[in-house]
Amino acid sequence: MDDASYLPTMSRRYLKYLIAVTLFTASILIFLLHDHRMIRIGNFAYFRSNPTYHQLQNTHTLSAREDMSVNRVLKKAAMEDNTIIVTVLNAAWAKPGSVLDQFLESFRIGDRTLRLLNHLVIVALDMEAYKRCKMVHRHCLSVSTPGVDFSGKNNFMTDGYLKMVWRKIDFLGIVLQKGYNFIFTDTDIMWFRDPLPIFYLDGDFQISCDYFRGNPLDIKSNIPNSGLSYVKSNNRTIEFYKLWYASRLKYPKKHDQDVLNLIKHDPFVQEIGLQIRFLDTAYFGGLCEKSKDFQKVRTMHVNCCIGLNRKVLDLRVMLEDWKKFLSFPPSIKNSHSAFWSVPKNCSMQSIN
């Protein structure tokens, strides 16, 4: 006979109530774990029912029409190993005589860089930039942001500038999710030699520096510049770009480069096993820290410079320096006597 039958009626009722409550609680927990389990992206942790979770999940978005166009253009531009070169710009940088013209010229006069134009995708953030791109280049994409006009100058750290740089990170996350490796380059970077042979074989995420301290693994001391990066498409980089883009919510007044400096120490980066490499300014120089050897330089960035007109003027000077170097006889080229004339016009001081 069941021992429970000897319990007083009240005890049996209590036991049934306790069992019912336990089963109900267990079912709720199973439901939460199955459909509303917590997600963590870096230092962000949210239940799936939290509206902020949906902001993080919908990180990388395109309209259906844009998505079709992106798929078509990326496929045409990709190298054999599914690597593309990407730059992002607006109308102010694309107009005749502005940054885009200098950028494309550097590929044409560089050492074995002309062929790389076949793999360059120009992402236009407004229709004027897209129209201009179609006039001068093969692979152009129009990527819009509803309710935002990117066509103006969007000076450094203005609201328009911040929206532009985060749209860039947004788009690059899409590229990774589609299975493409990329070399991202700001349009104010001159390509003088093919950089592919210089990239590390074992790096997931490789990035140029304003200041390079000598060790490509030194996360603490190297000062990265998000103007140039080489990123391989894998689960580690896809998750990292989710973290990077989501972190704009935590640091709303900072641009992508400042946020990168903050999140590079996040434990999540170590957890996913992301291999970060910092690129030597001897090969990937800029106005902050110039490449001193014309025999080594791959790219030069007009960084440490605020103001579109200033950038354009120093880009022209930089191109002239390179042309002058190319005109030297071999004996002078090998003597390492060439030097950059820039900066002439550039400054970190804001223009009113």
Side-chain angles (χ1 to χ4, degrees):
M1 185 177 293
D2 191 343
D3 291 340
S5 63
Y6 292 103
L7 292 174
T9 303
M10 187 62 69
S11 297
R12 291 200 300 271
R13 287 177 180 174
Y14 177 76
L15 183 60
K16 291 178 180 179
Y17 172 77
L18 184 61
I19 292 172
V21 169
T22 301
L23 290 174
F24 177 76
T25 303
S27 65
I28 292 295
L29 287 173
I30 292 171
F31 174 75
L32 285 172
L33 288 171
H34 180 72
D35 288 323
H36 294 269
R37 61 187 179 273
M38 186 171 283
I39 185 170
R40 179 176 181 270
I41 300 180
N43 290 325
F44 296 89
Y46 300 105
F47 280 110
R48 290 187 186 274
S49 57
N50 189 317
T52 309
Y53 166 77
H54 296 289
Q55 286 182 285
L56 300 182
Q57 283 300 95
N58 295 330
T59 291
H60 308 304
T61 57
L62 292 170
S63 69
R65 183 176 180 180
E66 286 173 339
D67 192 58
M68 290 178 61
S69 179
V70 168
N71 289 336
R72 183 177 65 254
V73 171
L74 296 187
K75 185 176 180 180
K76 288 182 178 179
M79 302 177 193
E80 290 183 1
D81 65 349
N82 259 18
T83 298
I84 59 169
I85 304 168
V86 184
T87 194
V88 177
L89 48 69
N90 66 348
W93 283 46
K95 68 180 182 181
S98 191
V99 178
L100 178 59
D101 286 354
Q102 321 301 324
F103 177 68
L104 295 176
E105 184 178 357
S106 73
F107 281 87
R108 297 185 186 112
I109 67 172
D111 181 3
R112 288 169 292 180
T113 52
L114 180 60
R115 66 177 182 84
L116 297 177
L117 285 175
N118 296 325
H119 308 292
L120 170 66
V121 176
I122 297 176
V123 180
L125 297 178
D126 58 80
M127 192 50 61
E128 288 302 312
Y130 179 69
K131 290 177 181 177
R132 168 68 175 150
C133 177
K134 295 293 286 183
M135 295 173 63
V136 297
H137 189 61
R138 290 178 59 192
H139 306 304
C140 302
L141 282 171
S142 174
V143 176
S144 63
T145 302
V148 181
D149 180 9
F150 285 127
S151 60
K153 286 187 178 181
N154 290 303
N155 291 330
F156 184 66
M157 292 308 294
T158 60
D159 183 61
Y161 172 85
L162 292 174
K163 288 178 179 177
M164 280 183 62
V165 297
W166 287 116
R167 186 52 168 153
K168 172 190 76 176
I169 299 300
D170 181 28
F171 180 79
L172 294 177
I174 293 171
V175 173
L176 293 174
Q177 290 181 356
K178 289 182 178 294
Y180 292 93
N181 315 313
F182 65 76
I183 306 170
F184 174 78
T185 171
D186 275 349
T187 321
D188 62 343
I189 292 179
M190 300 290 94
W191 283 54
F192 295 128
R193 287 190 179 89
D194 182 356
L196 282 164
I198 305 299
F199 293 132
Y200 297 97
L201 296 177
D202 59 349
D204 297 316
F205 175 81
Q206 305 181 37
I207 189 164
S208 62
C209 295
D210 281 335
Y211 300 99
F212 180 71
R213 305 308 187 194
N215 181 355
L217 302 177
D218 190 348
I219 291 180
K220 182 178 180 181
S221 299
N222 289 316
I223 310 298
N225 184 296
S226 58
L228 189 139
S229 56
Y230 171 51
V231 186
K232 298 175 183 177
S233 175
N234 55 44
N235 289 336
R236 296 181 295 276
T237 56
I238 289 170
E239 291 304 309
F240 177 68
Y241 268 75
K242 287 180 182 179
L243 166 65
W244 195 356
Y245 188 66
S247 296
R248 80 199 189 284
L249 303 174
K250 188 176 182 181
Y251 307 104
K253 298 298 182 181
K254 294 186 180 294
H255 60 68
D256 60 328
Q257 189 169 302
D258 283 345
V259 171
L260 174 62
N261 265 319
L262 292 167
I263 66 171
K264 66 184 182 182
H265 303 289
D266 193 298
F268 182 68
V269 176
Q270 282 73 47
E271 287 175 19
I272 62 176
L274 184 74
Q275 298 296 311
I276 300 177
R277 299 291 181 268
F278 297 93
L279 299 171
D280 192 337
T281 50
Y283 300 99
F284 303 92
L287 298 190
C288 302
E289 191 170 274
K290 289 181 282 188
S291 174
K292 297 180 176 63
D293 190 341
F294 271 62
Q295 297 286 356
K296 290 183 176 180
V297 65
R298 258 54 185 178
T299 64
M300 277 283 284
H301 190 184
V302 183
N303 52 6
C304 288
C305 181
I306 295 177
L308 177 58
N309 292 334
R310 287 173 174 171
K311 283 181 178 288
V312 171
L313 290 170
D314 268 19
L315 285 170
R316 290 172 183 165
V317 174
M318 196 179 288
L319 285 171
E320 290 305 314
D321 286 344
W322 179 252
K323 290 176 183 178
K324 187 184 297 183
F325 168 74
L326 293 178
S327 70
F328 290 160
S331 59
I332 297 180
K333 282 183 181 179
N334 296 331
S335 69
H336 307 283
S337 59
F339 62 92
W340 300 106
S341 300
V342 289
K344 284 188 179 296
N345 305 281
C346 275
S347 169
M348 286 300 287
Q349 186 175 6
S350 298
I351 300 175
N352 295 327

